[in-house]
Amino acid sequence: MKKLIIDVDTGVDDAQAIMVALADPDVTVLGITCCFGNTPLQNVLKNTLRVLKVCNRLDIPVFRGCGKPLLAHKRHAGDYHGKDGLGDCPDPDAPGLELLQKKKAVTAMIKLAKQNPGEVTLVATAPLTNLAVAVQLDPSFPERLKALYIMGGNTDSRGNTTVCGEFNFVADPEAAYVVLDRYTCPTYIAPWEFSCRNSLPWSFCEKWLSQKTEKAAFMKNITNFTFQKAQSAEYDKETTEGKGFNSCDTYAMAAAIDDTFITESDEVAVTVELEGTYTRGMMVLDYMKMLDKKHKAFVMKNVDLEKLKKMFMNSLK
């Protein structure tokens, strides 16, 4: 049984990643911690509870995390996920925020890792602010983790938020720097360009959403806005080159769930640029070994898409 903590900024792809995890019988989600990102924190909290409701899993504890970056200017991704993060299709019967845990996200992360030393896999699909604060409060926190899976960063200086920067890292570059510097547990990164090259065909997405279930109806509703954006001429070349839908966060989740999902990766030391005019927030890969860092991350290059498709199909059954 895999024990997960999921750190999210619940937009459409976070919702997909959460639902994939909840559908796997060999996964236990110990808690979901929330951070600003795709949408303001209040929306992230509401969206997370909405996803758990449709999955009939409101028993999973949800924790309020950081509402702004360590130093950077706050930014969101409403142009792609909708202003509310879930396609601007509100649910009048959505769960209320009184269901949130009183304990804050960072405190909860640290406590859950202490209770399950060496057993917890942390899946981070949001800006890394909660993780950076956690290691500052408890420097031994990363040592108790089994592994860390991150969706974020980029490898080919191809941005989706700035010229050279991926959203999660650009949203809080200092936090990304701290995490990549101080988390020495096994670390796996699903970067932006990699996910673009492994998009899900539109024909599969149609089949995926055509399942006659409440979960499929929910997913079809929240993805409509994002699908239209992804299929528009504005996004085709910058994202998936017109091939299909890029559910960025779900690649990190799939890798955390199935050890065989990653078929090719580079093991390399990584860091984040904090200053450049065009490159602030860009992930730096040290192939020349000039950073003198002992800890290296596994940067995903290729995955088994058929396994991802099965996970997606099962998530809406």
Side-chain angles (χ1 to χ4, degrees):
M1 186 65 68
K2 294 204 170 186
K3 298 180 180 180
L4 303 186
I5 298 173
I6 311 175
D7 189 68
V8 296
D9 58 339
T10 304
V12 171
D13 52 347
D14 301 79
Q16 291 159 353
I18 292 169
M19 292 176 77
V20 162
L22 297 183
D24 194 305
D26 296 324
V27 168
T28 296
V29 178
L30 300 178
I32 301 179
T33 52
C34 297
C35 182
F36 79 95
N38 287 322
T39 188
L41 181 60
Q42 286 294 98
N43 290 341
V44 173
L45 297 166
K46 294 175 185 175
N47 294 348
T48 303
L49 292 171
R50 283 181 64 185
V51 174
L52 293 180
K53 178 189 174 187
V54 77
C55 295
N56 196 29
R57 290 303 310 271
L58 283 169
D59 58 298
I60 294 174
V62 178
F63 304 91
R64 180 190 298 269
C66 297
K68 60 182 181 180
L70 299 180
L71 293 174
H73 296 293
K74 192 186 298 185
R75 61 173 75 222
H76 302 297
D79 61 327
Y80 191 73
H81 292 272
K83 291 181 180 177
D84 72 350
L86 288 186
D88 293 327
C89 49
D91 176 7
D93 299 317
L97 296 185
E98 70 276 2
L99 295 179
L100 295 174
Q101 301 295 307
K102 290 183 171 58
K103 190 183 298 293
K104 293 296 188 281
V106 172
T107 307
M109 279 182 177
I110 294 170
K111 183 176 180 181
L112 288 169
K114 283 182 178 178
Q115 292 173 338
N116 302 273
E119 298 180 4
V120 175
T121 296
L122 176 54
V123 183
T125 63
L128 296 172
T129 315
N130 286 339
L131 280 69
V133 174
V135 73
Q136 288 174 288
L137 285 179
D138 182 356
S140 64
F141 171 61
E143 298 170 11
R144 299 192 190 96
L145 295 175
K146 180 178 181 180
L148 169 63
Y149 289 79
I150 297 170
M151 189 283 132
N154 54 343
T155 54
D156 306 332
S157 66
R158 175 181 175 181
N160 64 6
T161 303
T162 59
V163 175
C164 293
E166 176 276 331
F167 177 81
N168 282 342
F169 280 23
V170 169
D172 196 340
E174 281 74 20
Y177 180 92
V178 168
V179 170
L180 295 182
D181 186 57
R182 299 181 63 184
Y183 279 65
T184 54
C185 56
T187 303
Y188 302 81
I189 300 175
W192 169 243
E193 300 95 334
F194 144 81
S195 63
C196 292
R197 290 190 290 267
N198 288 275
S199 58
L200 292 166
W202 292 116
S203 57
F204 167 78
C205 293
E206 185 176 345
K207 178 183 177 183
W208 171 54
L209 294 177
S210 67
Q211 298 179 79
K212 304 301 181 183
T213 66
E214 183 183 355
K215 293 178 185 177
F218 170 78
M219 185 57 64
K220 188 172 184 178
N221 197 27
I222 68 170
T223 55
N224 186 53
F225 179 94
T226 301
F227 275 21
Q228 289 182 19
K229 279 287 187 180
Q231 290 172 321
S232 70
E234 176 186 357
Y235 279 88
D236 272 353
K237 291 185 179 179
E238 285 93 350
T239 56
T240 59
E241 299 167 350
K243 296 177 183 176
F245 178 61
N246 179 4
S247 182
C248 310
D249 294 340
T250 317
Y251 298 93
M253 180 61 73
I257 291 172
D258 185 345
D259 298 335
T260 66
F261 175 65
I262 303 171
T263 58
E264 183 183 3
S265 63
D266 279 350
E267 188 177 6
V268 60
V270 291
T271 188
V272 178
E273 174 58 50
L274 296 180
E275 296 184 14
T277 302
Y278 300 110
T279 57
R280 175 169 159 78
M282 184 178 79
M283 187 165 73
V284 177
L285 292 84
D286 184 26
Y287 288 110
M288 295 180 68
K289 301 180 181 179
M290 297 176 68
L291 295 178
D292 195 27
K293 290 182 72 170
K294 292 182 180 179
H295 179 62
K296 296 180 179 180
F298 295 92
V299 180
M300 298 183 202
K301 295 183 72 175
N302 283 302
V303 293
D304 188 334
L305 270 187
E306 292 306 310
K307 289 186 176 180
L308 184 66
K309 289 177 183 178
K310 288 180 182 177
M311 291 182 190
F312 262 68
M313 294 299 293
N314 289 337
S315 71
L316 300 188
K317 287 182 178 177

